[in-house]
Amino acid sequence: MAQSYPIVVAQYKIKNHTSRTEHWNIVVLQTINHAHVFEVVGNSDTYAHVPRTIHNFARLRDLRGGCSVGSIAEDKLDWLKERLREVPVLRYEPSFDCHTWVFEALHLLRDDGIVTDDTSERRIRAELKLEEERWEESEDTVEERLFPRH
């Protein structure tokens, strides 16, 4: 049986953005540091979906935790990479940004049965606000709760 990995919406502090104070992406955590990251990067005229694998997730300077939204079997990671390429990336659209892309991706993955049913904007934003508070108080954030150090 294939191992299952948590899927989280991760948030990162950003500065000098016209309307957002945090960047969001979707992350599959194999370990506290080994992560498959799916995100939209750039600005309104250069947005692009950029999947990547990183090996220092919990040590990222601007990481402010995240919100667990589901899990995926190890043998479905390649499928997930291809599936998330189907999420539209809109350029020159003022209402589109990384938050919009994440919600569109979550809707698609919810329909596929990969993420939990409660991926509402209200729940995600509320949980990420709590995560920010946990981070500010030096409490465990999602990656630390998912992969506790003994």
Side-chain angles (χ1 to χ4, degrees):
M1 187 166 170
Q3 184 167 349
S4 184
Y5 300 123
I7 301 172
V8 301
V9 173
Q11 67 180 344
Y12 311 80
K13 194 69 161 173
I14 57 174
K15 296 179 184 173
N16 303 322
H17 189 275
T18 57
S19 61
R20 300 285 189 198
T21 58
E22 65 281 324
H23 173 76
W24 291 2
N25 58 24
I26 294 177
V27 178
V28 175
L29 289 171
Q30 285 189 267
T31 69
I32 195 167
N33 282 307
H34 185 85
H36 301 275
V37 178
F38 305 94
E39 65 188 333
V40 167
V41 297
N43 55 45
S44 65
D45 60 338
T46 63
Y47 281 137
H49 171 242
V50 180
R52 60 194 168 104
T53 301
I54 60 173
H55 303 284
N56 63 337
F57 180 77
R59 297 185 304 266
L60 293 173
R61 192 174 125 232
D62 294 324
L63 178 65
R64 299 297 186 265
C67 174
S68 183
V69 294
S71 63
I72 190 162
E74 181 177 31
D75 61 359
K76 288 209 157 231
L77 282 173
D78 288 336
W79 170 87
L80 179 66
K81 290 174 187 176
E82 291 306 312
R83 187 68 165 137
L84 290 177
R85 289 183 199 281
E86 297 174 27
V87 179
V89 175
L90 305 177
R91 293 184 179 160
Y92 305 104
E93 175 59 47
S95 64
F96 181 85
D97 63 14
C98 61
H99 294 210
T100 313
W101 186 87
V102 164
F103 283 122
E104 290 297 321
L106 291 176
H107 287 19
L108 186 70
L109 296 177
R110 184 182 63 218
D111 292 345
D112 291 334
I114 300 297
V115 300
T116 61
D117 288 337
D118 191 2
T119 54
S120 68
E121 184 170 349
R122 177 181 289 171
R123 177 195 169 257
I124 300 292
R125 290 193 185 281
E127 181 60 29
L128 291 177
K129 185 175 192 276
L130 286 173
E131 270 299 90
E132 178 76 17
E133 292 170 8
R134 290 179 189 118
W135 183 87
E136 289 173 0
E137 297 295 324
S138 298
E139 295 177 11
D140 288 348
T141 51
V142 71
E143 72 283 358
E144 295 163 323
R145 292 189 306 275
L146 290 168
F147 297 95
R149 297 173 198 230
H150 301 285

